[in-house]
Amino acid sequence: MVVAKGIVPLASSYLEDIDGWNHLPGSSFRIGTYCTGCAGSR
Amino acid sequence: MSFAWADYRERISRIYYRRSADAGNTWEGPSSGQPLLTGEEDDNYNAIVSETDQHDFHPQLISTPSEEIGYVVYEFGPKGRGEFPMVLQDLLTDVVLAISVDDGKTFSERITVTDYPWDPAVGAPLTHGNKYVTFIGEYFGLDASPLGFFPLWTDTRTGMQEIFTARVNEKHIKTSGVNVARISNLDTD
């Protein structure tokens, strides 16, 4: 099943690309969009 | 169930999520997700949403046996230090935790877990030897038990990247900024 569509990932078209790695403005570390989930306790 | 991710649609990194109350048969809200943190202040008058110069990324979600849902995230941006005058230092990172007590419908309480923000440029290894790209790890973690929430994060307060944890419940931070490698016995009250 598709959970979400039309998201805007932390991708190079919006963020600085340094040698193929995306960076938040002013940062020196690489960044990406990673999904997390929680099934709850019930 | 809920799923969350870092999203740049606001031209700043914010955490969006989708929630299903029927095991994934249907999903609430817009198909592209909705902001996980909304509203102006929690019950303690703390701002819920990060400031407009702060990026939220690497979210984690977990539930406790008592059905609270915890959310933890890195918050990166210019941080103030000192009581007065406030000094804005370099771009630093805090660990922020928010708690939902309505099965993920809303996250109504926000806590900054870190005693003070850490510098992601300290001791950062190079990515594939590239001197222009460093690496803080994408292995941020969060677990929970009846004692509360246990975020696990990279921290450089010791001058190198090390792993820290804290125990947080809905009342207050029970332990704060504990170096995992040096834990002998976490308080169990």
Side-chain angles (χ1 to χ4, degrees):
Chain A
M1 69 183 74
V2 177
V3 172
K5 50 188 176 183
I7 72 170
V8 181
L10 307 186
S12 57
S13 58
Y14 302 104
L15 293 166
E16 185 178 12
D17 182 316
I18 302 176
D19 288 354
W21 300 100
N22 300 312
H23 289 67
L24 294 171
S27 74
S28 59
F29 56 89
R30 73 186 196 186
I31 193 73
T33 285
Y34 304 99
C35 185
T36 184
C38 172
S41 55
R42 286 183 281 187
Chain B
M1 68 177 76
S2 297
F3 292 95
W5 64 92
D7 197 294
Y8 213 70
R9 73 187 67 181
E10 299 178 33
R11 299 301 182 263
I12 192 164
S13 186
R14 287 286 181 260
I15 306 305
Y16 276 65
Y17 83 126
R18 294 208 80 190
R19 176 180 180 272
S20 172
D22 57 6
N25 288 313
T26 60
W27 295 88
E28 299 173 354
S31 61
S32 63
Q34 59 193 25
L36 189 143
L37 296 181
T38 59
E40 294 185 358
E41 293 180 336
D42 64 17
D43 294 340
N44 297 315
Y45 305 104
N46 297 314
I48 292 288
V49 179
S50 297
E51 298 290 335
T52 55
D53 58 355
Q54 303 290 314
H55 293 274
D56 298 338
F57 66 102
H58 287 0
Q60 294 287 314
L61 291 167
I62 197 78
S63 64
T64 68
S66 56
E67 301 180 357
E68 298 159 333
I69 295 179
Y71 152 80
V72 70
V73 72
Y74 283 141
E75 183 196 68
F76 172 76
K79 305 290 184 181
R81 284 185 176 175
E83 295 294 328
F84 184 82
M86 186 70 78
V87 177
L88 279 180
Q89 292 201 334
D90 294 336
L91 300 171
L92 303 173
T93 305
D94 269 317
V95 174
V96 171
L97 185 143
I99 298 172
S100 171
V101 295
D102 58 6
D103 202 26
K105 293 178 183 174
T106 60
F107 288 79
S108 57
E109 186 148 358
R110 174 188 169 121
I111 302 161
T112 298
V113 178
T114 33
D115 304 307
Y116 49 87
W118 59 276
D119 188 345
V122 171
L126 304 179
T127 298
H128 301 295
N130 186 329
K131 65 181 180 180
Y132 299 110
V133 184
T134 61
F135 183 65
I136 62 171
E138 284 111 17
Y139 315 116
F140 198 22
L142 177 64
D143 207 344
S145 80
L147 296 174
F149 297 101
F150 294 82
L152 191 70
W153 71 92
T154 303
D155 201 305
T156 59
R157 71 185 66 182
T158 60
M160 65 183 77
Q161 287 189 357
E162 294 191 303
I163 303 303
F164 276 66
T165 190
R167 179 156 68 89
V168 185
N169 62 25
E170 74 279 14
K171 302 296 184 185
H172 51 270
I173 299 174
K174 295 291 288 186
T175 60
S176 181
V178 179
N179 188 326
V180 172
R182 298 172 188 168
I183 289 176
S184 58
N185 183 23
L186 273 176
D187 180 9
T188 56
D189 290 339

